[in-house]
Amino acid sequence: MGDELTDKKILEMQECFSLFDRDGDGTITTHELAAVLRSIGKNPTEAKLQEMMANVDADHNGTIDFPEFLTIMLRGQKERDSQAEIKEMMASVDADHNGTIDFPEFLTIMLRGQKERDSQAEIKEMMA
């Protein structure tokens, strides 16, 4: 996912927000957050709910408005994208696909990196 936010993506986020905003007042309260979490099988404590709200409620008014919701959803997407990139990179160097990078695989990575650095240095030398 790129950094651009399409109109379609914003509409999807608004639909999601409305699932949380059960009374339709444009904000998500701790009570509404708890109801949604419980509906998906979670049972957060009051302390956990307060912690979750504090992490999202940028203006500290006790509720989550759409811009705050959008920010946290995008942050979550970027984290998921980063995790996917890391997994993809790991899979590309895990030659025996055992979920770990052993010493020979590590050496391959290091040598590949050294070749890239050497090539970059050669290019810089030619450009000078």
Side-chain angles (χ1 to χ4, degrees), residues 115-128:
K115 286 179 186 175
E116 289 174 8
R117 284 188 296 278
D118 289 348
S119 295
Q120 289 174 0
E122 290 170 1
I123 291 170
K124 286 179 183 177
E125 226 175 85
M126 287 188 283
M127 299 297 286

Side-chain angles (χ1 to χ4, degrees), residues 50-70:
Q50 293 300 326
E51 179 186 332
M52 291 170 76
M53 289 295 284
N55 288 332
V56 180
D57 183 16
D59 59 9
H60 308 289
N61 67 353
T63 62
I64 301 168
D65 59 23
F66 184 68
E68 292 167 332
F69 180 80
L70 191 57

Side-chain angles (χ1 to χ4, degrees), residues 46-108:
E46 185 62 30
K48 185 64 176 173
L49 286 168
Q50 293 300 326
E51 179 186 332
M52 291 170 76
M53 289 295 284
N55 288 332
V56 180
D57 183 16
D59 59 9
H60 308 289
N61 67 353
T63 62
I64 301 168
D65 59 23
F66 184 68
E68 292 167 332
F69 180 80
L70 191 57
T71 299
I72 195 68
M73 295 298 285
L74 292 174
R75 187 181 312 146
Q77 182 63 49
K78 286 180 183 178
E79 289 171 5
R80 286 186 295 278
D81 289 350
S82 294
Q83 289 172 353
E85 288 174 16
I86 291 169
K87 286 180 182 179
E88 186 178 312
M89 186 273 306
M90 291 291 288
S92 74
V93 295
D94 181 14
D96 56 8
H97 306 290
N98 67 352
T100 63
I101 297 175
D102 56 25
F103 189 69
E105 292 166 335
F106 176 75
L107 284 177
T108 301

Side-chain angles (χ1 to χ4, degrees), residues 2 4 6-7 10 29 44 51 101 103 108 111 114 122 124:
E4 77 181 49
T6 64
D7 289 342
I10 291 172
T29 64
E51 179 186 332
I101 297 175
F103 189 69
T108 301
L111 290 172
Q114 184 61 45
E122 290 170 1
K124 286 179 183 177

